[in-house]
Amino acid sequence: MKQIVILGSTGSIGTSALDVIRMHPDKFSIAGLAAHSNQDILLKQAREFNVKRLALVRPYEKRTSLDDIIYGENCATELIRQTQPDIVVNGISGAAGFLPSLETVRHGATLALANKESLVIGGSFLKSEAEAQSARIVPVDSEHCAIFQCLVGEEHNDVRRIILTASGGPFWQTPRKDFPRITPEQALNHPKWEMGKRITIDSATMMNKGLEIIEASWLFDLPINKIDVCIHPQSIIHSMVEFCDLSIKAQLSNPDMRLAIAYALFWPQRLALDLEPIDLSTDLVLELLPPDTKKFTSITLARHAMQQPRSLPCIMNAADEVAVQAFLKGRLRFDQIIPVVEKTMDALSGWKIDNAPEVMDLDHEARHKAEEFIR
Ligand code: NDP
Ligand code: MG
């Protein structure tokens, strides 16, 4: 049995990962679980899976009688240090996932990565550390999992481009003039996926696709101009790879993150899963449409960010996290989210980053600057 740690176990990715483990209980022993503040659910999960080591950033009640819970901002990193697992699922939301990802590859463990921010904000450091320790980074993000599957048996040099599909979120057909009136409730109503709040709002602004272009560039070692995006409202084609002979491979399945998580966990094996198959007994229409990059500027912004890959993507992500929170709290309009990100990137574009700890310094600075603009 492999030892596994699940970071963000109480969230959307974390609970889906536990579901996959329920389907194949003989494959993994859970060495540790981490969450931010959802103490009751964490303890319930620990009882069900007999987990001995837990981590909580901010408990509502410190259980001093138990010495098996690690508390505080660095609890996830400490959990990896103490448990030394074979594999870590990183389902933490936001930039807070970066240092735990780094710790995972430092130990030479396999990183099953849902936390795309790890690669967006610190891709160069995470990749070089993984290479130095011969640690594997296996994608969990559904588009990247699709590409990972399409690349099996292929030569890197034969890849002409990759095409990330995007559902388009709830507003891909909404005229831009209506954007100022979009409420958090409308933006949280994703047509295809049930996910955490930040990624759901990012899907509505299409910043999620911007982050995913950068994630793909690091994961698959491709320049940003070899990564295209197309709108696919049905969310059945999870992404595609075009090769030098112009042949295109795609991966299809019903939208369910458990498939991508299972692929990452069992890779290089493929195990049976109890999920809903695609129904071909009725009409199935699959559309592919070009994205409207004038309406959704976040894709172009992400491409621009990769001109300074060590700093601008980190600033972009931090400002977006802050702006999304402000939108959810009613302090910022929907159409003001991306302008706050742009202004923050402009203001801090001179920053240089030389090492991994400086990534979090820049993240901190960018949050501060974005908050100033929002105020
Ligand atoms: P959620 O908001 O549903 O869950 C986030 C999880 O992270 C929660 O368990 C939360 O704990 C925990 N958490 C937050 N901060 C910390 C911290 N500092 N240390 C430890 N745990 C922490 O988010 P999602 O599951 O939707 O997304 C997680 C990541 O996966 C994101 O990077 C997202 O972009 C990516 N992703 C998600 C997909 C999805 O379908 N949901 C698809 C593809 C990628 P608590 O519950 O206590 O707050
Ligand atoms: Mg995705």
Side-chain angles (χ1 to χ4, degrees):
M1 267 193 171
K2 281 191 182 167
Q3 297 290 315
I4 189 169
V5 160
I6 300 176
L7 307 177
S9 65
T10 53
S12 161
I13 289 289
T15 49
S16 294
L18 290 172
D19 227 15
V20 169
I21 292 173
R22 268 188 207 103
M23 289 184 207
H24 288 281
D26 53 321
K27 296 287 179 200
F28 292 104
S29 160
I30 304 181
L33 297 172
H36 185 271
S37 41
N38 226 324
Q39 187 164 328
D40 290 343
I41 297 181
L42 189 76
L43 291 175
K44 194 163 163 253
Q45 293 173 337
R47 278 194 297 274
E48 178 186 347
F49 291 93
N50 192 23
V51 185
K52 299 279 181 269
R53 222 74 188 111
L54 302 175
L56 260 181
V57 177
R58 209 168 294 148
Y60 59 73
E61 168 208 345
K62 262 201 181 180
R63 297 165 59 104
T64 42
S65 59
L66 283 180
D67 62 357
D68 52 1
I69 304 186
I70 308 159
Y71 295 109
E73 290 295 334
N74 301 322
C75 65
T77 309
E78 187 54 35
L79 180 70
I80 296 161
R81 232 175 258 148
Q82 292 189 13
T83 52
Q84 306 260 330
D86 304 300
I87 181 163
V88 173
V89 177
N90 189 344
I92 292 176
S93 52
F98 172 62
L99 292 177
S101 283
L102 199 62
E103 190 68 24
T104 301
V105 297
R106 268 194 190 135
H107 283 279
T110 297
L111 176 61
L113 188 63
N115 179 266
K116 60 193 84 185
E117 295 87 345
S118 293
L119 281 168
V120 170
I121 74 173
S124 68
F125 305 109
L126 191 59
K127 283 279 299 254
S128 56
E129 191 65 35
E131 269 155 35
Q133 306 303 333
S134 304
R136 279 280 186 173
I137 303 177
V138 187
V140 164
D141 211 347
S142 57
E143 296 80 358
H144 304 73
C145 172
I147 294 160
F148 193 59
Q149 295 188 49
C150 292
L151 289 175
V152 171
E154 302 289 352
E155 291 292 327
H156 185 264
N157 281 343
D158 292 343
V159 175
R160 187 163 179 268
R161 60 173 175 150
I162 58 183
I163 304 147
L164 298 176
T165 53
S167 72
F171 309 124
W172 70 279
Q173 287 172 308
T174 306
R176 205 186 155 86
K177 67 172 178 39
D178 295 342
F179 279 13
R181 286 197 301 276
I182 290 172
T183 64
E185 200 186 16
Q186 290 168 324
L188 285 171
N189 187 18
H190 195 281
K192 292 288 169 193
W193 298 94
E194 254 182 57
M195 310 179 285
K197 285 186 179 171
R198 195 268 171 129
I199 182 174
T200 306
I201 302 301
D202 279 352
S203 300
T205 60
M206 291 206 69
M207 177 53 90
N208 184 47
K209 219 42 61 177
L211 298 174
E212 288 185 354
I213 293 175
I214 299 172
E215 180 188 15
S217 171
W218 289 115
L219 268 173
F220 304 112
D221 222 351
L222 288 170
I224 213 82
N225 62 4
K226 285 194 169 189
I227 304 166
D228 284 338
V229 170
C230 84
I231 303 292
H232 171 53
Q234 291 78 22
S235 295
I236 287 200
I237 303 172
H238 295 297
S239 277
M240 301 179 269
V241 182
E242 185 177 64
F243 297 93
C244 54
D245 60 357
L246 304 184
S247 177
I248 292 182
K249 273 184 167 180
Q251 183 260 333
L252 284 72
S253 65
N254 277 326
D256 190 324
M257 283 309 293
R258 290 175 298 179
L259 192 152
I261 294 166
Y263 192 83
L265 292 191
F266 303 129
W267 177 85
Q269 264 185 303
R270 202 187 266 284
L271 295 192
L273 295 173
D274 185 14
L275 305 177
E276 221 25 67
I278 293 178
D279 182 7
L280 295 175
S281 66
T282 57
D283 293 0
L284 176 63
V285 177
L286 299 177
E287 294 166 288
L288 294 169
L289 308 122
D292 184 343
T293 49
K294 287 215 172 67
K295 193 156 87 176
F296 295 100
T297 51
S298 39
I299 294 172
T300 314
L301 198 59
R303 290 191 194 285
H304 162 71
M306 281 304 265
Q307 288 175 5
Q308 287 178 53
R310 284 192 179 185
S311 55
L312 280 180
C314 173
I315 301 167
M316 183 180 87
N317 175 71
D320 182 68
E321 280 192 42
V322 172
V324 166
Q325 280 310 318
F327 167 66
L328 288 171
K329 292 200 170 111
R331 297 175 55 219
L332 197 68
R333 291 197 318 260
F334 182 78
D335 61 308
Q336 292 174 321
I337 296 175
I338 302 303
V340 165
V341 176
E342 275 167 351
K343 271 172 173 261
T344 311
M345 286 167 75
D346 280 350
L348 297 179
S349 64
W351 270 66
K352 294 266 177 308
I353 298 231
D354 294 321
N355 52 52
E358 286 176 9
V359 172
M360 295 317 289
D361 294 342
L362 179 55
D363 171 75
H364 187 79
E365 189 65 27
R367 281 167 198 275
H368 188 70
K369 190 52 91 184
E371 184 56 42
E372 258 178 43
F373 284 129
I374 291 165
R375 257 193 250 125

